[in-house]
Amino acid sequence: MGVRRPTVVRSRAELSEALAAHRATEGGVALVPTMGALHEGHLVLFDRAASLASCVVASVFVNPLQFGSGEDLDRYPRDLDRDVDLAGAHGVSLVFAPEAREMFFDGEPRVRVSPGVMGDRLCGRFRPGHFEGVLTVVAKLFGIVRPAVAVFGRKDLQQAALIRRMVSDLELGVEIDVIPLVRGEDGLALSSRNAYLSPAERSQALGFVRALTEADEAFRGGLSDPEGLLARVREVVAEHPSLVLQYSEIVDADTLDAVEAVRAGSVIALAGFVGSTRLIDNLVLGAERADPQVGSHA
Ligand code: AMP
């Protein structure tokens, strides 16, 4: 395909060297933080980053700080060779894939970035410490890579809002770009965790998408009471015996505050389980454009 395989760097020293050479001659660096097991949602982030900067760094790091006890840190899918090929085909020039001991050279960080009140909402209520782990590592990656811009996905709505807020509150000087949520051809939000689903579970999981879509239809039909819309979500989910809804809320996308009167642009977000797999999804209510869908099932 004539695509250059990205350089894979495992240490911050190698990364600094590669970036210094680039910065001296070409300028802007974009960072796309990932946990690997790449799917087409990630590839849209890389394409976007490549349109914003001359050098795209993708980090591939399964961040232990963001997994709680009993979560899937050990079985989280990992395939660095495949990730590097995919990233290279989408404009990534450097893949930074550190081991945990390279990231936390003198043990886990004692000083961490607190997500504050925005971290107590939505997923934060059920995953204590998760967003602190995310922000601490993202801040560290910003310090290591010093990108002009970093690209994230709305799939992780709360993460994107917290990172934007961290950058503005702590004045970190990184532009944050958030892309829409990318869905598979059946409508399910693409996620590395979809690999855990059996075909039967995947088709049940579509109940979450239907619940969001039906709430959106009710909103477009004139219902703007959040409780009424959320009741619709709960009803649709309840029609699927293997789904368990953890939460559903309608929030302002920037502040994550629950909205009293829903307006176009408010976001309906949910998390739930299909068997032992936890999935998240969200939809911008009354959006002019539907979420992008790709032809793959990942
Ligand atoms: P992860 O590897 O799951 O930590 O995700 C890395 C980045 O990709 C995050 O900014 C995610 O929000 C983003 N991402 C993951 N899945 C999707 C998706 N289906 N649509 C858009 N962005 C996504």
Side-chain angles (χ1 to χ4, degrees), residues 31 33 48 52 135 138-139 142 147-153 159-168 172-179:
L31 171 67
R48 174 74 184 150
L52 296 172
L135 294 186
V138 169
F142 286 174
V149 57
V151 184
F152 296 87
Q159 169 176 289
L162 279 164
I163 288 166
R164 267 195 201 288
R165 197 66 205 209
M166 169 177 80
V167 165
S168 69
L172 299 183
V174 180
E175 187 191 325
I176 302 300
D177 196 88
V178 178
I179 64 141

Side-chain angles (χ1 to χ4, degrees), residues 256-269:
L256 305 180
D257 287 339
V259 298
E260 279 169 26
V262 182
R263 55 168 191 81
S266 302
V267 182
I268 183 161

Side-chain angles (χ1 to χ4, degrees), residues 33-35 39 42 45 152-153 155-156 159 179-182 190:
T34 82
M35 297 208 297
H39 52 65
H42 295 110
L45 272 82
F152 296 87
K155 155 87 181 351
D156 297 273
Q159 169 176 289
I179 64 141
L181 190 157
V182 182
L190 296 184

Side-chain angles (χ1 to χ4, degrees), residues 75-109:
R75 70 176 186 128
Y76 196 84
R78 292 165 169 88
D79 190 345
L80 186 60
D81 275 347
R82 179 178 165 277
D83 289 347
V84 172
D85 287 339
L86 285 170
H90 288 266
V92 172
S93 30
L94 278 170
V95 172
F96 178 47
E99 298 283 351
R101 64 175 175 278
E102 174 67 21
M103 280 296 272
F104 310 123
F105 43 94
D106 56 358
E108 290 193 350

